[in-house]
Amino acid sequence: MVVGNWKMNLQPARAASLVRTIAQEAEKPQYEQVELVVCPPALYLPLALKDWQPAGSLAVGAQNCHWEESGAYTGEWSAQMLRAIGVEYCIIGHSERRAQFGETNQVVGDKIKAAVQAGLGTILCCGETLAEREGGTHFEVVERQLLDGLSGVDKSQFAEVIVAYEPVWAIGTGKTASSAQAQEMHSAIRQVLAQKFGGPQADATTLLYGGSCKPSNAAELFAQPDVDGGLIGGASLDAEQFLQIAASFL
Ligand code: PGA
């Protein structure tokens, strides 16, 4: 699986052409085995789903949702609303939301629960800061993010969950985790998931790596046994780079 996290980027004309190009290319046989997802800014979601790719072959995801179904939450939207318009995935707990919008593990857990209940493929983001890695607490930090983030999800709902490991120090910095660092953490994540939900469930979970993933390093990262794909920021804003990353499984 390769997911493009556009963040707050692209004016409508460029966004439209990016979706159109990726949707067209996604039909080609080399992408048959890869689930391709684009996550544009929320206000483009209906356009991305209908106008920009009328056949609707490319999966579309949101970057965030509220934890309640509806109510007095100015400026927000719910997981049910996303699902109702045809959105299939939602990123939750991205480190930028944690750092800039005060999302705690508890808030992330509430949002994950809402997204899973709404039937969205729910992408839980986790990852340590540089200080946490240098302090040697990175495994603990990620374990806490997983356990709190998944506290409202039961075994039967867990199949909806995708986990994205994104070391904060690698996001937008050009510094990728080495494939060994990614594999080490992904394997630790699978163990935490196995303890909570069972081995077969953990084995079936898609684990994405994110943080300066680009065409030049994707193949090596995706070749790791516990890396099942990528969550792509900067490189997802360019159709050619995004598609090259998606073709890196071959
Ligand atoms: P990046 O961002 O690929 O630009 O490092 C990844 C992300 O934040 O999801």
Side-chain angles (χ1 to χ4, degrees):
M1 169 181 264
V2 175
V3 182
N5 173 16
W6 293 10
K7 309 189 180 184
M8 194 174 73
N9 287 301
L10 302 185
Q11 290 300 305
R14 276 208 46 216
S17 104
L18 185 53
V19 168
R20 285 193 185 111
T21 308
I22 296 169
Q24 245 168 34
E25 288 292 313
E27 296 300 311
K28 295 192 174 161
Q30 66 259 45
Y31 305 108
E32 211 173 293
Q33 309 285 346
V34 190
E35 172 78 338
L36 282 175
V37 186
V38 288
C39 302
L43 77 171
Y44 294 163
L45 290 170
L47 293 165
L49 285 158
K50 304 260 156 41
D51 296 17
W52 297 344
Q53 46 143 3
S57 51
L58 176 63
V60 171
Q63 301 171 15
N64 180 35
C65 69
H66 197 270
W67 60 86
E68 291 291 350
E69 223 175 299
S70 61
Y73 302 102
T74 302
E76 295 286 325
W77 54 90
S78 71
Q80 279 79 7
M81 292 169 185
L82 292 173
R83 195 69 201 101
I85 65 164
V87 170
E88 289 180 68
Y89 293 93
C90 189
I91 298 170
I92 306 272
H94 190 280
S95 62
E96 286 152 19
R97 299 228 37 105
R98 293 176 189 262
Q100 300 167 29
F101 300 94
E103 290 191 13
T104 59
N105 281 341
Q106 159 88 49
V107 167
V108 170
D110 290 345
K111 290 186 172 196
I112 295 278
K113 189 176 172 188
V116 166
Q117 275 175 359
L120 290 165
T122 303
I123 304 171
L124 165 59
C125 297
C126 59
E128 79 286 357
T129 62
L130 187 59
E132 287 161 346
R133 179 162 279 265
E134 285 175 351
T137 59
H138 45 300
F139 291 114
E140 244 168 80
V141 166
V142 169
E143 181 173 11
R144 183 54 33 227
Q145 289 171 336
L146 292 171
L147 294 177
D148 289 353
L150 296 169
S151 59
V153 175
D154 65 32
K155 202 167 168 170
S156 67
Q157 301 167 315
F158 179 62
E160 306 281 349
V161 176
I162 293 147
V163 174
Y165 168 59
E166 299 203 304
V168 179
W169 47 270
I171 295 179
T173 58
K175 272 190 216 156
T176 325
S178 69
S179 48
Q181 283 172 322
Q183 169 56 26
E184 186 186 34
M185 184 60 88
H186 279 228
S187 152
I189 289 170
R190 231 185 267 285
Q191 278 172 34
V192 172
L193 299 177
Q195 271 162 22
K196 186 165 167 68
F197 297 104
Q201 284 77 4
D203 286 344
T205 306
T206 299
L207 301 186
L208 307 177
Y209 168 79
S212 299
C213 186
K214 38 190 187 262
S216 59
N217 58 29
E220 194 186 332
L221 286 160
F222 298 170
Q224 302 305 309
D226 287 302
V227 179
D228 305 313
L231 180 53
I232 319 299
S236 75
L237 301 175
D238 180 273
E240 202 178 315
Q241 287 192 46
F242 185 67
L243 290 162
Q244 267 179 35
I245 292 171
S248 298
F249 293 99
L250 307 173

